[in-house]
Amino acid sequence: FRSSPAAFLLIQQHRNSMQVCMSSRTWIIIFALVRLAAGTASDVYSQSPSTLKGCECKSACQVSVIFECTAAPFCSVKDQHCANGTAEWSVTKGYYDWCVFDSYKTYESLKASEKMKLLLAHINNDRNPGQYPSTLSVLTGIMGESVMTTFDASADVFPQKRTKYIHSVGVTGGISFASVGGHSYSGLFQGAEHGIIRFSSAKQPAAGAGVTPGMGIKFLRDGRPSANFVAMYSLDGQKCEDSNFFKYDWNNHVAATDDFGLKLIADKFWQASYCPLMVGLSDLASPAGTEVGVFPFKLRFHALVSSECDCADYAACMKKLQAIAVGTKLFEVWAQAAPGEHEELIGHITLTEPLTTSKFGDEELFFKHQHMETDFSLKPDWLSAIDRKKLCGMSCTGTQAPAIAKGCSSPFNGTEKMLKTDSVEFV
């Protein structure tokens, strides 16, 4: 409201003169639209970070090589005595603690349909696309940021300003998921009306370099945070002559890469997960709150559409993606219940809102990655059924994600803290 006082006063005057009562939820929506007009996403996330020990930050959250090798963001705190313990001390930063980005209850309390309207309004507010950073800045930038935030933050927009180093430019639209029935999976696997999809290439397409298609999917829920996952065909992508953006099936489990730069990026993701080649699905199956639902080991997305993508002209590629008509069935969704089992068709994903280039979609929209370790903790027998080194990238994969204190133990910095048998092939 501070950025649009006239609009705020107008709403206040109109509210006082109204003869009918409006729900507090309605006013949340109205106030959110005012914020949208002001060009901010504070209607989606607008709160200060907390910390692991319940301290109060006095500085912005930041990362540093000397603080666990940029594994997690931290802030200087106002007092060493915190709600859940004593803050740590550093000569350079004084008392500090690790930042936590909890869900923003004002937004999360809304219905899924209301959150969908807000996100679509932001997506369509500025249809100018973002841009890919230089190759050098991709490598240095990712190595210099925390990827733990990608797995731990609870929000539909990234809670801090950031540069999107991979999947930097894409198209975003609305989707629904319709179940075919006859399967045991619960929660959103039974059907989801309000979803957001974003198609993009992991690295900047170029003649001779190919394109690396993938997608992020977000399903919104009433009164609780969204469920998210990502899917790709391969980190290496496809050659330019494979011009159909959807030529290959996509999965939430991705094969290792032979590309040196992508290997470095994969190594960085080791700080957040011991199985960075997979993202979990158990949150999608959760009926409510912390309840555990029935979820599959793996999803495969078989495209029902095609879209030509000239890797030498990515702008034209995105324009063709935008031409896909609302109402089009995009994918068959196939689920594998457990490692080694046969897949079954469980439903279809349909486009419900037009795909568009979007500054918000490229720069602010956030798709949380779920730790595969969460799924393994609920289904520990899966671990003994897979080749962990081949499918996860390292043989030490288990039921616990890496701790912040392990931030400097990753293979890309040359330390010897990992077990010699735990060779990481990708991050």
Side-chain angles (χ1 to χ4, degrees):
F1 301 124
R2 295 188 184 96
S3 57
S4 187
F8 174 72
L9 289 174
L10 180 62
I11 289 176
Q12 285 289 80
Q13 291 169 2
H14 185 57
R15 183 178 188 179
N16 293 336
S17 66
M18 292 180 70
Q19 300 300 310
V20 294
C21 290
M22 297 176 68
S23 70
S24 59
R25 177 177 280 111
T26 302
W27 285 111
I28 291 173
I29 297 295
I30 292 175
F31 294 162
L33 292 174
V34 172
R35 288 172 177 168
L36 174 62
T40 70
S42 58
D43 50 351
V44 181
Y45 197 88
S46 181
Q47 66 182 16
S48 300
S50 56
T51 75
L52 286 178
K53 294 181 179 178
C55 310
E56 186 176 356
C57 292
K58 69 175 183 180
S59 73
C61 294
Q62 57 196 289
V63 295
S64 171
V65 173
I66 64 173
F67 285 78
E68 299 299 342
C69 299
T70 71
F74 67 93
C75 67
S76 297
V77 300
K78 293 182 178 180
D79 194 307
Q80 70 180 98
H81 304 294
C82 304
N84 303 315
T86 302
E88 297 182 62
W89 166 261
S90 162
V91 173
T92 58
K93 299 296 181 180
Y95 288 104
Y96 72 94
D97 195 20
W98 305 103
C99 294
V100 175
F101 301 99
D102 294 318
S103 60
Y104 180 43
K105 292 183 179 179
T106 301
Y107 167 79
E108 298 297 358
S109 66
L110 298 173
K111 293 181 179 179
S113 59
E114 295 166 338
K115 287 184 272 193
M116 183 79 169
K117 288 179 182 177
L118 292 179
L119 290 176
L120 287 173
H122 281 292
I123 289 166
N124 292 302
N125 189 47
D126 184 344
R127 298 188 180 186
N128 292 306
Q131 59 183 5
Y132 282 96
S134 68
T135 301
L136 179 61
S137 65
V138 169
L139 295 178
T140 58
I142 288 179
M143 294 303 174
E145 69 175 6
S146 168
V147 292
M148 279 190 171
T149 305
T150 303
F151 287 80
D152 296 337
S154 181
D156 285 337
V157 295
F158 206 79
Q160 286 191 304
K161 185 175 177 58
R162 62 156 181 182
T163 298
K164 193 171 180 64
Y165 292 105
I166 54 175
H167 293 283
S168 306
V169 181
V171 294
T172 309
I175 56 168
S176 64
F177 170 72
S179 170
V180 298
H183 62 78
S184 60
Y185 307 119
S186 58
L188 294 168
F189 289 108
Q190 292 295 316
E193 185 178 354
H194 305 291
I196 299 290
I197 194 167
R198 181 174 179 270
F199 295 127
S200 61
S201 175
K203 59 184 179 181
Q204 184 171 12
V211 63
T212 314
M215 65 180 175
I217 284 184
K218 175 187 302 294
F219 286 120
L220 302 162
R221 299 183 282 204
D222 292 347
R224 55 188 293 214
S226 61
N228 304 257
F229 63 90
V230 293
M232 297 177 65
Y233 157 60
S234 158
L235 287 170
D236 292 319
Q238 58 199 54
K239 297 178 181 179
C240 290
E241 50 263 38
D242 294 335
S243 58
N244 177 11
F245 192 82
F246 301 104
K247 179 173 182 177
Y248 299 100
D249 290 356
W250 298 349
N251 305 273
N252 65 306
H253 299 178
V254 185
T257 177
D258 292 323
D259 183 275
F260 176 73
L262 290 175
K263 278 186 175 182
L264 289 178
I265 294 172
D267 285 344
K268 174 63 178 178
F269 270 78
W270 175 92
Q271 289 183 323
S273 175
Y274 290 131
C275 191
L277 295 175
M278 302 180 184
V279 292
L281 301 170
S282 55
D283 185 38
L284 280 88
S286 171
T290 58
E291 291 182 42
V292 176
V294 180
F295 58 94
F297 172 64
K298 179 181 177 181
L299 293 178
R300 177 172 63 87
F301 301 88
H302 175 69
L304 300 174
V305 294
S306 63
S307 183
E308 290 298 299
C309 185
D310 182 350
C311 61
D313 190 350
Y314 190 50
C317 174
M318 291 190 294
K319 187 170 292 186
K320 290 178 180 179
L321 288 171
Q322 292 176 82
I324 298 174
V326 168
T328 299
K329 283 187 177 180
L330 299 174
F331 296 101
E332 291 177 344
V333 183
W334 293 78
Q336 185 182 38
E341 294 195 7
H342 292 295
E343 297 176 327
E344 63 175 322
L345 178 67
I346 64 169
H348 299 87
I349 290 176
T350 299
L351 188 68
T352 59
E353 297 287 342
L355 293 165
T356 180
T357 51
S358 169
K359 182 178 178 65
F360 174 82
D362 289 348
E363 297 180 359
E364 296 186 66
L365 187 64
F366 173 56
F367 296 89
K368 181 179 180 178
H369 293 33
Q370 184 184 339
H371 289 102
M372 191 63 192
E373 287 90 342
T374 302
D375 287 15
F376 287 144
S377 69
L378 297 170
K379 299 281 188 178
D381 55 307
W382 288 356
L383 284 167
S384 59
I386 65 171
D387 183 334
R388 287 179 281 179
K389 185 174 180 180
K390 179 180 179 180
L391 297 182
C392 284
M394 51 176 49
S395 56
C396 65
T397 303
T399 59
Q400 297 293 321
I404 294 173
K406 296 288 187 179
C408 292
S409 301
S410 62
F412 64 80
N413 64 15
T415 62
E416 301 296 332
K417 295 181 181 179
M418 290 186 63
L419 295 175
K420 292 182 180 179
T421 56
D422 295 330
S423 170
V424 176
E425 299 176 345
F426 152 106
V427 263

